[in-house]
Amino acid sequence: MRVLLVAGTFPPGRCGVGDYTARLAEALARSSALVVGVLTQRTAATASAKGVEVLATARSWRLWELPALLRGIRGWRPDLIHIHYPSQGFGWRLLPALLPALCRALGFRVVQTWHEPWPMQDSHRFLLQRMAIDGLLFVRPDYVELMPPFLRRFMPSCPTRTIGSAAALPASRMSEDERRQLQQRYLAGRQFLVVFFGFVHPAKGVEQLFEIADPSTHSLVIAGGVLDPAYRRQLEEVAAVRGWKEQVHYTGYLEQEDAADLIAAADAVVLPFLQGGGEWNTSIHGALAQGTLVITTAKAGFGDDPARNLYTAAISDVQDMSFALRTLAGRRMQAVPQEGWGIVAQAHAEFYRQILRNR
């Protein structure tokens, strides 16, 4: 079976969906029954994934790139095309939304994964994408419930399945001495190092970090890219008001090994997601893989899970997250290598076979 994955961004570390696609492609390629390719844009020309052919075909996702994309798809001759959508990441560009129907018109089976809940302002793209789906995958079990009620009425009638995620980061290989040295680089005289890791976006609740943590005790590192300069200025303004000006560090994008080392050096990773976290978040899996305490959110707070070194508060419950940080910071477990991508890939392969049998 020849499976072609399509992703807007592919280099790992640049985007959660790009990380997911890279890990999934590598795990699928480990199966001798599958030949795996990834179609993406030319900025990923130097990207690589073990056992995966990277087709960095288009210069962008503008409509005039359509001929190059279709030539790449037809030349690779896939049995099935699997398009990964961040749902909120393409803006008003129509090419990604039109791609499923065009691929179907060429005779290909099309599977889509919707990673993020649809906002109402993107309903035009939702209606285009739903027109050509042979199979639909979600990474979170409550995906449909998070959609606007109007859009739920137009959900496609096709096979669907929820398949979770796994860690996007390898386990850190630092020694204990190296971990302490890296920690001291950021502590600046404070007692605990607190890290936020992942794409810096308003939906991640990053501004809550300045209220959850205490600048007199904690040093804060925000590790991830900020694409919106206005949001970066907003974060800086909130930090200044709350006394964080000297104790917050922005690293920008980090290579995977560097991100794993930073998380391993932290006393706590705080992820105050405004829509709640769960098994679908590669950031949570990646942080837990380092043995570091993770504090995050869910619709209903679950409290402390010491067996996983995980504390889950209710969404926007800043006081509860602050309490967890004060009482649990520094708690560590031995780093555990994550093997979950094999399970994720197996579930995908089974779904692909189901879709092809439906032909």
Side-chain angles (χ1 to χ4, degrees), residues 263-264 286-293 309 331-336:
I263 292 170
L288 291 174
Q290 316 311 323
T292 301
L293 169 70
N309 211 11
R331 188 177 72 182
R332 298 194 56 79
M333 294 178 58
Q334 184 175 358
V336 179

Side-chain angles (χ1 to χ4, degrees), residues 86-88 115-121 140-143 145-148 201-206 208 271-278 280-281 284 296-300 312-316 321:
S87 297
Q88 302 172 20
H115 287 263
E116 298 166 358
W118 280 99
M120 191 62 197
Q121 63 265 28
R140 53 188 302 164
D142 57 350
Y143 187 98
E145 288 75 13
L146 291 171
M147 292 175 60
H201 185 274
K204 302 293 183 71
V206 182
Q208 292 185 357
L271 306 170
F273 301 142
L274 298 184
Q275 294 177 335
W280 57 90
N281 288 109
I284 293 176
T296 189
T297 62
K299 285 185 178 180
T312 309
I315 293 172
S316 293
M321 286 183 276

Side-chain angles (χ1 to χ4, degrees), residues 21-350:
T21 306
R23 297 291 158 255
L24 173 61
E26 290 180 332
L28 288 169
R30 287 195 284 269
S31 169
S32 59
L34 296 176
V35 178
V36 182
V38 174
L39 179 71
T40 186
Q41 55 188 1
R42 290 182 188 175
T43 53
T46 59
S48 63
K50 190 174 181 180
V52 178
E53 183 178 352
V54 179
L55 285 71
T57 302
R59 285 170 294 184
S60 69
W61 292 101
R62 305 289 184 180
L63 279 171
W64 54 78
E65 294 293 334
L66 179 59
L69 285 169
L70 295 183
R71 281 196 301 269
I73 292 171
R74 295 182 72 175
W76 203 77
R77 296 179 291 108
D79 296 300
L80 181 143
I81 297 171
H82 182 182
I83 308 175
H84 289 261
Y85 286 107
S87 297
Q88 302 172 20
F90 287 111
W92 286 84
R93 296 171 188 156
L94 290 180
L95 175 56
L98 290 169
L99 196 57
L102 295 169
C103 291
R104 281 281 296 276
L106 293 174
F108 298 111
R109 300 285 98 182
V110 177
V111 168
Q112 299 181 28
T113 293
W114 295 350
H115 287 263
E116 298 166 358
W118 280 99
M120 191 62 197
Q121 63 265 28
D122 283 343
S123 58
H124 62 294
R125 291 195 298 105
F126 165 80
L127 294 173
L128 287 172
Q129 286 175 213
R130 70 166 299 282
M131 292 172 58
I133 306 179
D134 294 292
L136 179 58
L137 294 170
F138 308 115
V139 296
R140 53 188 302 164
D142 57 350
Y143 187 98
V144 176
E145 288 75 13
L146 291 171
M147 292 175 60
F150 174 77
L151 297 185
R152 289 182 215 160
R153 298 164 56 188
F154 298 95
M155 282 296 294
S157 57
C158 65
T160 63
R161 186 170 178 182
T162 298
I163 302 176
S165 186
L169 298 177
S172 173
R173 298 180 179 179
M174 287 191 304
S175 67
E176 184 60 25
D177 285 342
E178 290 171 330
R179 189 184 76 80
R180 289 173 180 163
Q181 289 173 12
L182 180 57
Q183 186 181 64
Q184 289 300 319
R185 186 189 308 173
Y186 291 105
L187 277 177
R190 298 309 188 269
Q191 186 176 359
F192 296 107
L193 176 61
V194 179
V195 170
F196 171 90
F197 162 72
F199 197 59
V200 182
H201 185 274
K204 302 293 183 71
V206 182
E207 60 273 16
Q208 292 185 357
L209 293 168
F210 304 116
E211 187 176 356
I212 294 167
D214 181 353
S216 67
T217 305
H218 303 126
S219 184
L220 179 61
V221 177
I222 297 176
V226 189
L227 291 183
D228 184 356
Y231 186 55
R232 170 66 179 263
R233 289 193 295 272
Q234 177 187 340
L235 293 178
E236 291 174 345
E237 290 170 1
V238 174
V241 168
R242 295 193 171 274
W244 279 99
K245 192 171 183 180
E246 304 299 327
Q247 282 77 49
V248 59
H249 313 271
Y250 296 88
T251 69
Y253 293 113
L254 294 176
E255 295 297 330
Q256 289 189 309
E257 290 76 10
D258 294 333
D261 288 346
L262 175 61
I263 292 170
D267 292 295
V269 172
V270 181
L271 306 170
F273 301 142
L274 298 184
Q275 294 177 335
E279 294 300 318
W280 57 90
N281 288 109
T282 56
S283 297
I284 293 176
H285 286 287
L288 291 174
Q290 316 311 323
T292 301
L293 169 70
V294 176
I295 300 171
T296 189
T297 62
K299 285 185 178 180
F302 303 120
D304 192 19
D305 182 358
R308 300 181 65 194
N309 211 11
L310 175 67
Y311 190 97
T312 309
I315 293 172
S316 293
D317 192 339
V318 171
Q319 290 185 344
D320 192 24
M321 286 183 276
S322 182
F323 167 79
L325 186 59
R326 289 196 310 271
T327 57
L328 301 177
R331 188 177 72 182
R332 298 194 56 79
M333 294 178 58
Q334 184 175 358
V336 179
Q338 302 292 296
E339 305 295 338
W341 284 111
I343 298 172
V344 171
Q346 181 180 356
H348 276 80
E350 292 171 356

